[in-house]
């Protein structure tokens, strides 16, 4: 799954929560987290069945208004990955051969979402 949206919206926080929940529910699952630019070698060396690629934007290139994975070797590894994969980035991108990837936008909070977040974090009330 690819979660994308504007910076600061909570993609990395959501990915951390998902990783924590997976680790708690499926303790035998090995979770590996990579942040920023990822080489094909580093991805291949990850001994995990669930990989989180957080802030994946450093691995993307824009061509004619379309975002793609810049490193073709990494793109091939991602497309052929048989385990669980969660990617967070700012832009949706194309990955040929990876029809199984679902792209989900993470949008700004609604007014009710902000109210719920505020009540769950009492320290926010101290801010102007």
């Amino acid at each position: 799954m690819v979660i994308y949206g504007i910076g600061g919206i909570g993609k990395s926080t959501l990915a951390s929560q998902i990783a924590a929940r997976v680790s708690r529910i499926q303790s035998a699952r090995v979770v590996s987290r990579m942040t920023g630019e990822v080489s094909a070698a580093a991805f291949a060396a990850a001994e995990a069945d669930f990989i989180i690629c957080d802030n994946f934007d450093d691995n993307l290139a824009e061509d004619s208004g379309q975002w793609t994975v810049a490193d073709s070797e990494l793109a091939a590894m991602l497309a052929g990955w048989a385990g669980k994969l969660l990617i967070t980035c700012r832009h949706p991108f194309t990955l040929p051969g990876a029809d199984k990837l679902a792209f989900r936008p993470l949008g700004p909070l609604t007014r009710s979402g902000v109210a719920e977040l505020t009540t769950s974090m009492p320290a926010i009330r101290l801010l102007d």
Side-chain angles (χ1 to χ4, degrees):
M1 175 180 286
V2 177
I3 300 171
Y4 66 93
I6 62 174
I9 199 119
K11 300 176 297 290
S12 296
T13 301
L14 180 59
S16 294
Q17 292 297 318
I18 291 170
R21 184 170 288 180
V22 166
S23 294
R24 192 172 55 251
I25 294 171
Q26 299 177 343
S27 58
R29 189 172 292 276
V30 179
V31 179
S32 179
R33 184 180 183 127
M34 301 177 181
T35 302
E37 190 171 351
V38 178
S39 69
F43 189 85
E47 295 182 6
D49 56 357
F50 181 22
I51 295 180
I52 298 173
C53 295
D54 193 22
N55 295 319
F56 194 71
D57 301 281
D58 293 339
N59 300 284
L60 301 179
E62 185 179 19
D63 184 29
S64 303
Q66 183 125 7
W67 291 91
T68 59
V69 178
D71 179 354
S72 60
E73 198 174 327
L74 176 61
M77 292 183 119
L78 292 172
W81 179 247
K84 302 291 184 190
L85 180 63
L86 176 60
I87 297 172
T88 68
C89 57
R90 292 183 182 195
H91 307 283
F93 57 91
T94 59
L95 187 61
D99 299 336
K100 62 187 175 217
L101 271 183
F103 288 79
R104 300 289 184 255
L106 187 60
L109 291 173
T110 62
R111 188 174 294 268
S112 63
V114 170
E116 185 178 328
L117 178 64
T118 303
T119 58
S120 71
M121 300 173 71
I124 289 180
R125 292 187 198 121
L126 302 174
L127 300 174
D128 292 341

